[in-house]
Amino acid sequence: MAESAAIRPRPGRESLLARMTAIVDAFVDPNGELNLDQISHRAELPRSTTHRIVVDLIDLGWLERSGRNFRLGWRALGAVGPQLLHARIRVGAHDILQELFLRTGMVVHLGVLDGGHEYFLDKIGGPFARRIGSRVGARLQAHRGAGGRSMLSLLHPEEVDAVMTPMLGQSRPHSGWSVPSLHTELGRIRERRGIAFESATTATGAIDSIGCAVRSRDGVAVSLCLAGDAGTVRPHTVVPIVREAATALARAI
């Protein structure tokens, strides 16, 4: 009898867990925001009860405040500390990356601007992806790739100087890049409304890529970059697809 009593669930525990789960499940969109009344309605809970549990969930990291609204926190998104913002971007962009790969067959990268570097959050592609040395979690000097330069084009010239002058000042003369030449290229990208191109020759052959960047609601520069065999980046077909995806990405993040 003592053993049976020891494993008997405590009164109200399942009810509390069920209510907490209902509140977290109210966020159908991982990056969406809800106010207290919306959470209460979706969770089918009284407003006062919802408020009390929401406060606890914020303290525990399952939810966080966003002005007068609430959104999923780092625990719910499977992120830790500084990775929370990146997790939101990656979750919001996932379906867009998949659709880009299905429509183009090219390798698709998702990157964010981290100082003077492009930091790769995601990479989707078929067998061709093995020919491209990029990997999730890696950094590439921003001026060296289409994704990085598309993000730099979102910055003011003085911001570009601040993050790129130390790096380019250390570049070898034959690298072909300097601060003035980078500003010239960024001007061309802005004239193309954010579209950047890159051609590179690797040990496995020539690769062309195209990038386009947007800002997240938190002001982070985020890029989509497609890469494929030389000649596969045909502006009249690929550019409209990339622009459409960038517009969807801006809405998603």
Side-chain angles (χ1 to χ4, degrees), residues 67-88:
R68 294 186 176 182
N69 295 333
F70 305 91
R71 59 187 180 183
L72 295 180
W74 61 271
R75 284 187 187 275
L77 293 173
V80 292
Q83 296 177 353
L84 176 57
L85 179 58
H86 290 171
R88 292 191 185 285

Side-chain angles (χ1 to χ4, degrees), residues 89-127:
I89 293 171
R90 188 172 181 177
V91 168
H94 180 266
D95 291 346
I96 297 169
L97 268 61
Q98 293 283 358
E99 180 68 16
L100 267 179
F101 171 64
L102 292 175
R103 292 183 67 181
T104 66
M106 302 174 71
V107 180
V108 185
H109 297 87
L110 176 72
V112 294
L113 190 63
D114 181 19
H117 290 81
E118 178 181 10
Y119 177 72
F120 294 106
L121 294 184
D122 211 343
K123 176 182 179 180
I124 296 177

